[in-house]
Amino acid sequence: YIWQALYFGRQNSLLNDLPSPLWVQMDWRKPGFKKKSFDYILGSDVFYERRFFEPISRLFDRFLAPGGKIWLGDPDRTVSRDVWTRFKSLGWQVRKIVSQKIKCISQKATVNLWELTPGLRQDRPGNSKPEFRISIFEFIKIRRSYGKDNTLWSISGSGSFK
């Protein structure tokens, strides 16, 4: 909903010399994309309210392509701590890639980077074997080698639901 989140995300990708993903300002509950169209979904600080889990979980189910991956940055908020268990209970493979303490104004915050991959679920067609995993650094190399494509989609946690 808030364009500033997209602006700062884009600036961050430029600062880190990364190819810019498809940045879209939209309502998470009603995205206008073809189903199963994204190989990678990036998100940052999207679970800052408990009520966001259901619509975001449905969004991931609907738009992540088979074999795709989701990477989520999370500032270890109390409200988001049960999210990872909830994803596991829905059949997702959940892995914490890195956890780092960073200085944020006058405080220190812990920021975690999580990876979600579709697990073996009865209701996920075509899931008959575990998913292949790559590290975030391998992902960056892959993105650089492919150049400009729209297989990467980024969401940001600056939206709100009415």
Side-chain angles (χ1 to χ4, degrees), residues 7 27 37 78 98:
Y7 171 80
D27 182 337
S37 58
T78 303
V98 67

PDB file of all heavy atoms in Angstrom, residues 7 27 37 78 98:
ATOM      1  N   TYR A   7      10.236   2.214  -2.644  1.00  0.00           N
ATOM      2  CA  TYR A   7      11.357   3.111  -2.920  1.00  0.00           C
ATOM      3  C   TYR A   7      12.599   2.654  -2.144  1.00  0.00           C
ATOM      4  O   TYR A   7      13.680   2.521  -2.719  1.00  0.00           O
ATOM      5  CB  TYR A   7      10.995   4.556  -2.551  1.00  0.00           C
ATOM      6  CG  TYR A   7      12.172   5.482  -2.608  1.00  0.00           C
ATOM      7  CD1 TYR A   7      12.613   5.999  -3.826  1.00  0.00           C
ATOM      8  CD2 TYR A   7      12.866   5.822  -1.451  1.00  0.00           C
ATOM      9  CE1 TYR A   7      13.713   6.845  -3.886  1.00  0.00           C
ATOM     10  CE2 TYR A   7      13.968   6.660  -1.502  1.00  0.00           C
ATOM     11  CZ  TYR A   7      14.393   7.166  -2.717  1.00  0.00           C
ATOM     12  OH  TYR A   7      15.484   7.984  -2.767  1.00  0.00           O
ATOM     13  N   ASP A  27      -2.544  -4.378  -3.085  1.00  0.00           N
ATOM     14  CA  ASP A  27      -3.208  -4.995  -1.947  1.00  0.00           C
ATOM     15  C   ASP A  27      -2.810  -6.470  -1.940  1.00  0.00           C
ATOM     16  O   ASP A  27      -3.066  -7.184  -2.912  1.00  0.00           O
ATOM     17  CB  ASP A  27      -4.722  -4.843  -2.128  1.00  0.00           C
ATOM     18  CG  ASP A  27      -5.525  -5.412  -0.968  1.00  0.00           C
ATOM     19  OD1 ASP A  27      -5.026  -6.284  -0.236  1.00  0.00           O
ATOM     20  OD2 ASP A  27      -6.680  -4.971  -0.810  1.00  0.00           O
ATOM     21  N   SER A  37       3.432 -17.836 -10.877  1.00  0.00           N
ATOM     22  CA  SER A  37       4.256 -17.117 -11.850  1.00  0.00           C
ATOM     23  C   SER A  37       5.602 -16.624 -11.317  1.00  0.00           C
ATOM     24  O   SER A  37       6.380 -16.070 -12.086  1.00  0.00           O
ATOM     25  CB  SER A  37       3.464 -15.937 -12.427  1.00  0.00           C
ATOM     26  OG  SER A  37       3.039 -15.070 -11.398  1.00  0.00           O
ATOM     27  N   THR A  78       7.930 -10.058  18.535  1.00  0.00           N
ATOM     28  CA  THR A  78       7.161 -11.013  19.331  1.00  0.00           C
ATOM     29  C   THR A  78       5.955 -11.508  18.535  1.00  0.00           C
ATOM     30  O   THR A  78       5.639 -12.696  18.538  1.00  0.00           O
ATOM     31  CB  THR A  78       6.681 -10.347  20.639  1.00  0.00           C
ATOM     32  OG1 THR A  78       7.823  -9.863  21.343  1.00  0.00           O
ATOM     33  CG2 THR A  78       5.923 -11.331  21.505  1.00  0.00           C
ATOM     34  N   VAL A  98      20.109 -16.938   8.348  1.00  0.00           N
ATOM     35  CA  VAL A  98      21.052 -16.151   9.131  1.00  0.00           C
ATOM     36  C   VAL A  98      20.295 -15.326  10.164  1.00  0.00           C
ATOM     37  O   VAL A  98      19.132 -14.984   9.963  1.00  0.00           O
ATOM     38  CB  VAL A  98      21.924 -15.232   8.220  1.00  0.00           C
ATOM     39  CG1 VAL A  98      21.089 -14.149   7.576  1.00  0.00           C
ATOM     40  CG2 VAL A  98      23.096 -14.634   8.957  1.00  0.00           C
TER      41      VAL A  98
END
